[in-house]
C-alpha cells in the first residue's frame, strides 16, 4: 500500500482553515500545520512534502514572497495551492505568476478541496514523468529538468510561468494557440476578460528569451484568436520557415 500523501499547510491565523487538517486526515492524507513562513521554509527544506497549501492572507508576510522563497529552494517539484476568497484579482494573478500551481477560492468546500488536491497531484506526477525532455527550435533548447533555456549555448533563467509558456509555444511551433488554451495550460483556469496577465507574461517571455527575427524565433499575435510561435530561416527576408508547424525536435539528454 503506498505511503499517504504528505501535505504542509501554512494557515497563518486564519480560523476557517482549522478544520483542514482533520479533513485531510479523514481523506487519508498526512498534514503538518505551520503557523509562520519561517517555520514552513525550514520544514519543507528538511522533510519530504508532496504538496503545500497556503492561505493568501498572512500576518506580517506576503504569501507571494513565501511562494518565491519555496520556489528558489525547491524549484517546481513541490506543488503549491493557494487558499483564499479570490476577491483580489491582481493578488491572485501575482500568486500564480510567482509559482503557485492552483488557487482555490472560498467559501471552502471539502469535496472541491480534495478533488483539486487529487487533480494537482496527478498533474505534478505527469510533469515528473516528462522530466528529461529537451525541446529544440532554431538556436534554442528548453530543458525540462533544470527548467531553463539555452540560446546558442548560453543559459537563460526563466520564471516558472515563463518556462511553462515557452514549453507550450515551442512545442506547438507554427500553430495558433487560442488564449483560452494558453490560460488553461499556464494558470489552469481562464482569466477574466479584461485581464492583462497573459499579454504581460508574453511580453516578458519575448524579452527574457530575446525572441526576434534576429534570433530566428518570434511570437506573432493572431488578432482575436491567440498567439503563434514562428521559426524563421536565415535568408535576408526572414521568410517563415516552411517547416514551422511540423513536429518539433525531441531528445533526452
Amino acid at each position: 500500500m503506498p505511503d499517504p500523501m504528505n501535505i504542509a499547510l501554512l494557515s497563518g491565523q486564519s480560523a476557517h482553515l482549522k478544520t483542514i487538517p482533520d479533513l485531510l486526515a479523514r481523506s487519508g492524507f498526512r498534514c503538518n500545520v505551520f503557523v509562520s513562513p519561517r517555520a514552513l521554509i525550514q520544514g519543507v527544506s528538511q522533510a519530504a512534502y508532496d504538496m503545500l497549501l497556503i492561505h493568501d492572507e498572512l500576518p506580517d508576510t506576503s504569501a507571494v514572497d513565501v511562494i518565491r522563497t519555496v520556489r528558489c529552494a525547491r524549484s517546481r517539484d513541490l506543488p503549491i495551492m493557494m487558499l483564499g476568497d479570490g476577491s483580489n484579482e491582481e493578488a491572485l494573478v501575482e500568486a500564480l505568476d510567482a509559482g503557485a500551481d492552483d488557487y482555490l477560492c472560498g467559501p471552502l468546500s471539502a469535496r472541491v478541496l480534495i478533488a483539486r488536491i487529487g487533480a494537482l497531484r496527478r498533474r505534478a506526477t505527469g510533469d515528473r514523468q516528462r522530466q528529461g525532455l529537451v525541446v529544440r527550435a532554431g538556436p534554442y533548447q528548453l530543458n525540462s529538468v533544470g527548467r531553463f533555456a539555452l540560446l546558442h549555448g548560453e543559459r537563460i533563467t526563466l520564471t516558472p510561468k515563463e518556462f511553462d509558456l515557452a514549453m507550450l509555444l515551442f512545442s506547438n511551433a507554427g500553430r495558433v494557440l487560442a488564449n483560452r488554451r494558453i490560460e488553461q495550460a499556464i494558470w489552469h483556469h481562464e482569466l477574466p476578460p479584461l485581464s492583462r496577465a497573459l499579454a504581460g507574461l508574453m511580453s516578458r517571455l519575448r524579452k527574457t528569451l530575446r525572441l526576434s527575427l534576429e534570433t530566428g524565433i518570434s511570437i506573432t499575435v493572431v488578432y482575436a484568436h491567440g498567439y503563434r510561435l514562428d521559426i524563421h530561416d536565415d535568408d535576408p527576408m526572414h521568410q517563415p520557415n516552411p517547416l514551422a508547424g511540423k513536429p518539433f525536435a525531441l531528445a533526452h539528454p
Side-chain angles (χ1 to χ4, degrees), residues 153-253:
E154 176 189 350
R155 179 169 176 146
I156 300 175
T157 301
L158 301 168
T159 67
K161 287 289 185 288
E162 287 174 348
F163 186 85
D164 290 342
L165 178 58
M167 283 293 287
L168 179 64
L169 292 170
F170 277 70
S171 299
N172 292 277
R175 301 184 180 96
V176 177
L177 298 179
N179 292 335
R180 288 183 178 180
R181 178 179 176 185
I182 298 174
E183 292 167 2
Q184 287 285 357
I186 304 304
W187 287 277
H188 310 302
H189 62 84
E190 292 181 19
L191 299 177
L194 299 180
S195 173
R196 296 288 301 166
L198 176 55
L201 180 62
M202 200 71 68
S203 176
R204 294 194 298 274
L205 182 65
R206 284 193 182 100
K207 182 177 181 180
T208 301
L209 287 182
R210 300 171 229 161
L211 299 176
S212 66
L213 293 176
E214 286 69 27
T215 58
I217 305 288
S218 64
I219 296 176
T220 300
V221 179
V222 182
Y223 181 72
H225 287 84
Y227 296 86
R228 183 185 68 239
L229 184 131
D230 292 321
I231 303 175
H232 308 275
D233 61 21
D234 296 326
D235 68 52
M237 298 300 293
H238 295 292
Q239 294 298 319
N241 191 328
L243 296 180
K246 293 189 177 182
F248 54 90
L250 297 180
H252 291 271

Side-chain angles (χ1 to χ4, degrees), residues 9-21 23 54-57 82-86 104-110 113:
L9 169 64
L10 178 58
S11 60
Q13 298 176 346
S14 176
H16 77 274
L17 296 185
K18 290 182 178 180
T19 61
I20 289 183
L23 168 63
I54 176 172
H55 192 254
D56 65 353
E57 292 185 3
M82 294 286 289
L83 306 174
D85 60 16
L104 181 58
C105 299
L108 184 65
S109 164
L113 174 61

